[in-house]
Amino acid sequence: MKKIFLILVAVFTVIVISGQPAQAAYLPMAGDLVKTAASPAVYIIDDDLKRHLFSNQATFFTWYSGGWSEQKIKVITQDEFDQLDNGKNVMVRPGSNLVRFDNSNKVFAVTPGGVLCEVRALYGDNWQARVVVIQSSFETDYIRDNSCILTSASKLPDGSLIKYAKSNDVYLIDDGKKRKVTTDGFKANGYKDSSVISNVPTTMVYTSGKTSVTAAERGLSILYSLVYNLAVTSPTNPDLVIYDIIFPVSQPQVNTNYNVVLQIKNTGSALTGSAGLRNVSFIGQDFTIATINHGDYPSVSRPLGTSQIFEITYSGKFIASGKKTFTVKVDEPSELSEVNENNNTYSEDITVVQ
């Protein structure tokens, strides 16, 4: 009894001297947000008690609402942090924003599994407000699907929240189908009004899904995104898209000769012939073409491989000033069996000065 009494006295003495009782050890739980006192980096704990880093603040707030003071972030010790195994980084929530990496001007939509689709249309005049800038060092967290390029002829991808013109109903695009999202389902899954793409034309038709989103669904949660992976299958056919139109100056002058370079990218399997490249429609408003030059067409011995670019140079001049539109179509008329037959057209504007 005397020994127990002495132990209790010793413990009480420690509490009095420190002024506070000893802090309880951190017990990690799935969904916890944690950080250490020495670093501003925030992590989330998954179902396997691994920690996953949010690459930046913008990524964090695609999943959460409010300010930092409203987030229940636990500050843990360095030893407790080191006991947590490291998992993959958290990616931007699919469908919530567009992303751009800070070393490039290309913009992408994020689809489930962190798969990126290049964006050239569909997101309205205020699309810049949706863009989240990510450090280029985190680009490898995502999967680039070279065959997915969103043009005016495309549909919005999986993960998108849409609202048709003259309608208040919200739909989630899921596995290529639309699922109605009720008010309760919208709130329970942490969606934001700013993520909804409004005024979608009624000509963009989706088959209706079997169920509506009426409550929180694990498949739409951040914890599910940490374990869900979507492999991009290798394409079986070539797929030619207009990668870029390169002008030598930002504002060309009237009656001055220029070389305009058209870049055609193959996002599918290897192209081993000239089909699809023989007839390219290149129409520059008020641009007269004097000569056309390009390298050898692809062949069996020198194929145009996946992600490789074929360049055509158009030499000519503008005969009038003002805003001019260049419209290009590859594989015109359709002579090549492609992965996607609806991504062959591209337009770009440029201003011509006197």
Side-chain angles (χ1 to χ4, degrees), residues 131-188:
V131 178
V132 168
V133 180
I134 308 292
Q135 305 95 303
S136 58
S137 57
F138 293 101
E139 187 170 358
T140 54
D141 294 341
Y142 298 82
I143 301 171
R144 174 77 178 272
D145 183 359
N146 288 321
S147 66
C148 185
I149 297 180
L150 302 178
T151 69
S152 57
S154 307
K155 289 185 177 182
L156 287 159
D158 283 355
S160 301
L161 290 170
I162 70 170
K163 186 185 291 185
Y164 284 106
K166 299 181 180 180
S167 174
N168 292 322
D169 293 333
V170 176
Y171 295 92
L172 169 69
I173 307 305
D174 186 8
D175 197 21
K177 298 179 181 180
K178 64 178 183 181
R179 300 176 60 200
K180 188 174 181 178
V181 183
T182 66
T183 301
D184 289 342
F186 193 92
K187 182 178 180 180

Side-chain angles (χ1 to χ4, degrees), residues 8 12 24 33 36 61 67 73 86 101 107-108 114-115 121 159 168 187 202 210 227 239 266 278 290 300 329:
L8 290 175
F12 178 75
L33 298 173
T36 65
F61 284 109
I73 301 174
N86 191 33
F101 298 102
V107 176
F108 302 93
V115 177
N168 292 322
K187 182 178 180 180
T202 54
K210 293 182 179 180
V227 298
D239 194 18
N266 177 24
R278 283 195 297 263
V300 174
K329 186 172 183 179

